[in-house]
Amino acid sequence: MSYDFDSIVKRRGTNSYKWDTPEREEVLPMWVADMDFRTAPAVIEALQRRVSHGIFGYTKVPDVYYKAVRDWFLRRHKWDVASEWIIYTTGVVPALSAVIKALVKPGDKIIVQTPAYNCFYSSIRNNGCELFACPLEYKEGRYSIDFDAFETAAADPQAKLLLLCNPHNPVGRVWTPEELWRIGEICLKHGVFVVADEIHCELTYKGHDYTPFASLSEEFLLHSVTCNSPSKAFNLAGLQIANIVAADAEIRRRIDKAININEVCDVNPFGVEGLIAAYNEGEGWLDALREYLWENYCFLRNFFAEYLPHYPVLPLEGTYLVWVDCRAANMNSDRLSEKLLEEGQLMVSPGTLYGEGGENFIRLNIACPRKLLVDGLKKLRSVLNR
């Protein structure tokens, strides 16, 4: 079956955070991580059926929901998740905040491999904990983990949690099983619990398969929790649905309590129906989407090579978020992003948003029809070539 990713869907004026945040209509937004594609047809049809019922009361999450999650991860990722391990909630960020509240106390240190997803910082801060930045190593245009520095961080007696981003946002790495093993062994050795944000797990490209951290060993499973959602892969962020997978019963009890304390224990009927349809019927659409996103990345990479060769584009192993080295601009990413907005009518994410190590980078969202991507790259070129 063929799917249409080229049609431009008008989003401005629909209360879109991505499109309606810029005040000027001529601004092209390539910043916040949602896609400009309609979701899988099966999801739309499921939501239409639910709307036609006309009553939208409190939702009881059915057994078929848990089965959909289980079947998906077993079929796609060879990870056998028990239904009782799954705690549903409204989003991965609320999930992270609830897990932190459940498992550590104010003043404890939480390790983050920087640059990292900006909401990690707010989840740590809002729970009264201390960020322990452990910078990734950037060398020859690629990021890797400095395991000596990571072990030093894990050995700190106050370090209690690692927030692991797998695949990593914003640098686009998909951690290999070997890298995940080393992370897990170090964390077990020093008593650091792993909280894996795996929301981008479906968005990987050839040669870079996603490995669920918890799937690697029984010990890793019991000393970690995994947060996931169909929201990135199927463009369902507004449906407010996510899951926490926690195999240890006591850990799960504590998280469930924190979920209720934070009042993010109730989900809406559309999130439930959307997840079930996505996982049960959306596989073909997702595979076609990944091909289209990879073609977008190749187009962008070739464009930079021809017109902006002094601005290295990092390899994209996962996500639809391209990390660009902008040191050639001789200004930090905040100022560069301002110039792109003011002079090029292009909205991007400045790397400073992602903490230590992001000061000289910008993040570009390429999950859009090719025509919009071309327009955005031309805007970018017009400013950078000045």
Side-chain angles (χ1 to χ4, degrees), residues 220-242:
F220 291 178
L221 174 68
L222 294 174
H223 291 85
S224 71
V225 298
T226 301
C227 303
N228 55 46
S229 171
S231 63
K232 296 302 179 191
F234 290 93
N235 209 24
L236 305 179
L239 297 190
Q240 300 287 288
I241 194 74

Side-chain angles (χ1 to χ4, degrees), residues 72-259:
W72 179 267
F73 279 93
L74 186 60
R75 183 172 69 251
R76 297 280 293 195
H77 307 299
K78 299 180 177 58
W79 185 26
D80 193 1
V81 176
S83 295
E84 60 267 24
W85 299 351
I86 300 169
I87 304 171
Y88 59 80
T89 186
T90 56
V92 164
V93 174
L96 294 172
S97 292
V99 170
I100 292 170
K101 181 184 288 293
L103 302 184
V104 298
K105 62 183 184 297
D108 285 341
K109 293 181 180 179
I110 298 178
I111 302 169
V112 174
Q113 296 167 303
T114 61
Y117 177 46
N118 52 297
C119 286
F120 283 5
Y121 305 124
S122 56
S123 292
I124 293 169
R125 183 175 59 250
N126 292 343
N127 281 285
C129 295
E130 182 180 338
L131 168 70
F132 196 152
C134 186
L136 296 170
E137 188 172 39
Y138 179 54
K139 188 177 181 181
E140 297 179 356
R142 190 174 186 270
Y143 282 92
S144 60
I145 298 168
D146 181 340
F147 281 102
D148 290 336
F150 180 71
E151 178 139 26
T152 297
D156 187 308
Q158 287 185 276
K160 304 300 182 183
L161 288 184
L162 164 68
L163 292 188
L164 173 68
C165 200
N166 174 39
H168 193 282
N169 170 19
V171 309
R173 279 296 317 277
V174 176
W175 304 119
T176 65
E178 293 76 19
E179 288 170 316
L180 294 172
W181 263 107
R182 289 193 68 184
I183 289 171
E185 288 172 341
I186 289 170
C187 287
L188 282 176
K189 176 181 176 182
H190 297 288
V192 173
F193 195 87
V194 177
V195 181
D197 171 2
E198 300 186 351
I199 194 171
H200 291 278
C201 66
E202 310 304 339
L203 300 168
T204 62
Y205 306 106
K206 188 175 181 179
H208 302 287
D209 293 334
Y210 151 73
T211 302
F213 173 79
S215 71
L216 288 171
S217 79
E218 185 74 10
E219 282 190 299
F220 291 178
L221 174 68
L222 294 174
H223 291 85
S224 71
V225 298
T226 301
C227 303
N228 55 46
S229 171
S231 63
K232 296 302 179 191
F234 290 93
N235 209 24
L236 305 179
L239 297 190
Q240 300 287 288
I241 194 74
N243 293 298
I244 304 167
V245 180
D248 183 277
E250 173 58 19
I251 294 292
R252 195 164 60 247
R253 184 195 66 77
R254 291 162 64 182
I255 293 172
D256 188 61
K257 180 179 179 181
I259 287 282

Side-chain angles (χ1 to χ4, degrees), residues 14 16 18 47 70 75 98 109 196 204 213 227 229 235 258 260 274 282 286 336 347:
T14 64
S16 162
K18 179 179 183 180
L47 296 179
R70 290 197 63 193
R75 183 172 69 251
K109 293 181 180 179
T204 62
F213 173 79
C227 303
S229 171
N235 209 24
N260 281 271
L286 175 61
L336 179 57
M347 192 170 182

Side-chain angles (χ1 to χ4, degrees), residues 273-306:
E273 296 296 333
L275 179 144
I276 293 169
Y279 284 168
N280 286 347
E281 304 173 71
E283 203 156 358
W285 179 89
L286 175 61
D287 289 338
L289 168 73
R290 292 166 69 197
E291 290 182 14
Y292 191 90
L293 291 173
W294 179 250
E295 290 167 1
N296 268 5
Y297 171 69
C298 291
F299 184 93
L300 177 145
R301 185 182 57 194
N302 293 337
F303 184 96
F304 269 79
E306 182 173 358

Side-chain angles (χ1 to χ4, degrees), residues 51-68:
V51 167
S52 69
H53 182 261
I55 299 176
F56 313 113
Y58 298 116
T59 298
K60 184 180 187 298
V61 176
D63 290 342
V64 291
Y65 174 96
Y66 299 99
K67 185 177 188 305

